[in-house]
Amino acid sequence: RSTSSRFRRLFLLLSQDQDKDYVGFATLPNQVHRKSVKKGFDFTLMVAGESGLGKSTLVNSLFLTDLYKDRKLLNAEERITQTVEITKHTVDIEEKGVKLKLTIVDTPGFGDAVNNTECWKSVADYIDQQFEQYFRDESGLNRKNIQDNRVHCCLYFISPFGHGLRPLDVEFMKALHEKVNIVPILAKADTLTPTEVKKKKFKIREEIQQYGIKIYQFPDCDSDEDEDFKQQDQELKDSIPFAVIGSNTVVEAKGKRVRGRLYPWGIVEVENSAHCDFVKLRNMLVRTHMQDLKDVTRETHYENYRAHCIQSMTRMVVKERNRNKLTRESGTDFPIPVIPSTTDTETEKLIREKDEEVPRRHSDPTLEPHSDPGLDPGADPEAS
């Protein structure tokens, strides 16, 4: 017992000596981590592109959920008359104690009409509305529980049936690249051979640069990062646009059950990096760059919108001050009376009668002027 108590005292003395050189702020990351996990995270993802490119299937494959249970499929005739709509699907996902509120913003009807002139306008308006709502909440009195519905990323689906970007693709991305992080997706990659995929990727990257489209730029690696991480980051940059395949069907391949598509000539595996870029896209969106997408939205796109709003408000204030200054310099120190919108009908009637009486009095000199009711008409004015 005496030996154990001696060891205990020695341990306490050693820990006290260590505490002298240990302040404790090294635990700050743990405190932030606990608080963040308790609060939970939110992420808003927009998917855009014409119908039939596998947007819904890819989203379900990415997050292993079924967000489109109640979706109604339209026939060809209904698609022609359909206008661009904005629909939101929100789902709460939990993984190893970490909660994520995921919001998927879909754009059904985009690019399906015969005339697609400015069909992206409703999408741009929606993004601006979310910025405006956040700006109002941020400028309000109660800023404790502000909901962040700003769009953090837009997956834009490019059709594999063509020679590159269509005019609609170019116009859409140019209209939105200053408002949201655009990640281009080459849809239905299983309809192309590996050589065709490589050529099409190169062509799309070339046209994106040619038309001055600003897509999401991956941040540069820090100098202290290991070589494996730098290599993965470079592979992500080289994969743009991500050639993806979506499938929620489980098939059997080489004795293993995998998600993929079964064809007469073989199986295309969704999560096989040799078949498509699905795993790279998922890693980028969820595991490595989700926070950076949110940071770029907050620090770049939202700040640009906020600065524009403040500049507009400042211009209005300066204009009002200049107008008031001109009013004071013109000698009108008193406030200008505001003319009421509704006129008094009795006053208007009296004025009309007086106006009619003046020409009559000039045409007929026998008419006497109206006497003052307070004076006697026959009284001598000098008598008073």
Side-chain angles (χ1 to χ4, degrees):
R1 189 179 298 169
S2 60
T3 308
S4 62
S5 62
R6 238 184 275 123
F7 274 120
R8 204 178 300 120
R9 280 201 302 272
L10 181 63
F11 175 75
L12 287 171
L13 286 170
L14 287 170
S15 62
Q16 285 173 3
D17 289 339
Q18 287 177 353
D19 287 345
K20 289 176 184 176
D21 300 327
Y22 181 70
V23 178
F25 57 81
T27 62
L28 277 174
N30 296 332
Q31 296 175 38
V32 173
H33 174 75
R34 282 198 300 270
K35 190 174 180 181
S36 300
V37 169
K38 187 178 179 182
K39 184 181 177 182
F41 301 88
D42 48 57
F43 188 73
T44 302
L45 178 69
M46 174 180 279
V47 289
E50 65 182 49
S51 300
L53 293 180
K55 301 188 295 294
S56 310
T57 307
L58 182 70
V59 169
N60 289 337
S61 304
L62 280 171
F63 300 100
L64 299 176
T65 56
D66 190 5
L67 290 169
Y68 300 91
K69 288 180 266 187
D70 304 325
R71 187 180 61 160
K72 180 190 173 186
L73 295 174
L74 303 177
N75 57 36
E77 190 176 334
E78 290 171 327
R79 280 185 189 175
I80 292 171
T81 58
Q82 186 189 19
T83 55
V84 181
E85 298 176 11
I86 305 293
T87 58
K88 282 173 62 175
H89 305 272
T90 304
V91 62
D92 294 318
I93 306 173
E94 186 170 349
E95 183 181 67
K96 294 183 180 179
V98 179
K99 296 176 183 176
L100 173 68
K101 181 186 176 185
L102 176 68
T103 303
I104 303 294
V105 181
D106 202 354
T107 56
F110 175 81
D112 293 343
V114 176
N115 183 6
N116 290 308
T117 305
E118 293 190 346
C119 63
W120 56 85
K121 199 171 184 307
S122 57
V123 182
D125 290 343
Y126 176 83
I127 295 172
D128 285 338
Q129 285 167 15
Q130 305 315 306
F131 281 155
E132 182 185 355
Q133 186 60 48
Y134 193 87
F135 182 68
R136 288 178 183 275
D137 294 343
E138 194 183 43
S139 307
L141 295 174
N142 184 14
R143 308 197 308 166
K144 194 172 183 181
N145 298 313
I146 298 177
Q147 284 191 346
D148 185 7
N149 293 318
R150 296 172 294 184
V151 181
H152 301 119
C153 179
C154 174
L155 299 181
Y156 184 72
F157 286 69
I158 300 166
S159 173
F161 314 116
H163 298 288
L165 296 177
R166 299 172 303 164
L168 178 62
D169 302 330
V170 175
E171 291 300 324
F172 176 89
M173 289 193 276
K174 286 183 76 172
L176 269 73
H177 65 178
E178 298 283 2
K179 302 173 185 288
V180 67
N181 299 311
I182 297 176
V183 177
I185 303 291
L186 182 58
K188 292 185 175 292
D190 51 339
T191 61
L192 304 169
T193 65
T195 307
E196 289 173 335
V197 168
K198 194 174 180 181
K199 286 181 180 177
K200 201 168 284 290
K201 279 188 173 190
F202 180 79
K203 178 71 174 174
I204 291 171
R205 281 198 298 265
E206 197 177 50
E207 290 182 339
I208 284 173
Q209 190 174 2
Q210 177 187 340
Y211 292 112
I213 299 168
K214 301 173 187 174
I215 59 172
Y216 172 66
Q217 297 295 320
F218 295 102
D220 294 327
C221 292
D222 296 329
S223 57
D224 57 346
E225 296 285 357
D226 57 7
E227 292 301 320
D228 290 341
F229 184 82
K230 289 180 180 178
Q231 186 179 350
Q232 288 176 8
D233 186 70
Q234 190 58 45
E235 286 178 2
L236 277 179
K237 292 176 181 177
D238 294 338
S239 298
I240 294 292
F242 293 100
V244 297
I245 302 164
S247 175
N248 299 318
T249 309
V250 178
V251 295
E252 192 167 335
K254 297 179 183 177
K256 293 190 297 182
R257 292 176 64 80
V258 294
R259 278 190 301 154
R261 293 182 177 273
L262 182 62
Y263 292 105
W265 56 87
I267 295 173
V268 178
E269 297 177 32
V270 170
E271 296 179 340
N272 189 335
S273 298
H275 293 179
C276 69
D277 298 328
F278 175 84
V279 174
K280 292 176 184 176
L281 175 65
R282 185 180 61 189
N283 288 345
M284 186 278 291
L285 271 180
V286 182
R287 298 183 184 179
T288 58
H289 289 78
M290 179 180 277
Q291 189 57 46
D292 187 67
L293 286 163
K294 295 178 70 172
D295 290 343
V296 173
T297 301
R298 184 184 70 249
E299 296 168 6
T300 304
H301 300 303
Y302 173 67
E303 280 303 314
N304 290 341
Y305 175 85
R306 185 172 173 272
H308 179 72
C309 285
I310 293 172
Q311 283 175 359
S312 300
M313 291 162 66
T314 306
R315 280 195 217 101
M316 288 175 64
V317 171
V318 170
K319 195 175 179 181
E320 188 68 25
R321 282 179 182 171
N322 291 338
R323 195 176 69 176
N324 293 339
K325 187 179 176 183
L326 287 170
T327 305
R328 286 197 301 272
E329 286 176 355
S330 63
T332 315
D333 292 333
F334 53 87
I336 300 171
V338 179
I339 300 172
S341 57
T342 55
T343 56
D344 190 354
T345 53
E346 292 183 6
T347 308
E348 197 174 17
K349 187 178 177 184
L350 282 171
I351 291 170
R352 202 183 305 115
E353 288 177 357
K354 292 287 183 185
D355 289 342
E356 291 173 357
E357 188 180 341
V358 170
R360 282 207 317 271
R361 193 181 301 144
H362 283 291
S363 61
D364 191 355
T366 59
L367 285 173
E368 294 182 0
H370 286 282
S371 60
D372 192 326
L375 295 174
D376 185 3
D380 186 4
E382 304 236 349
S384 58

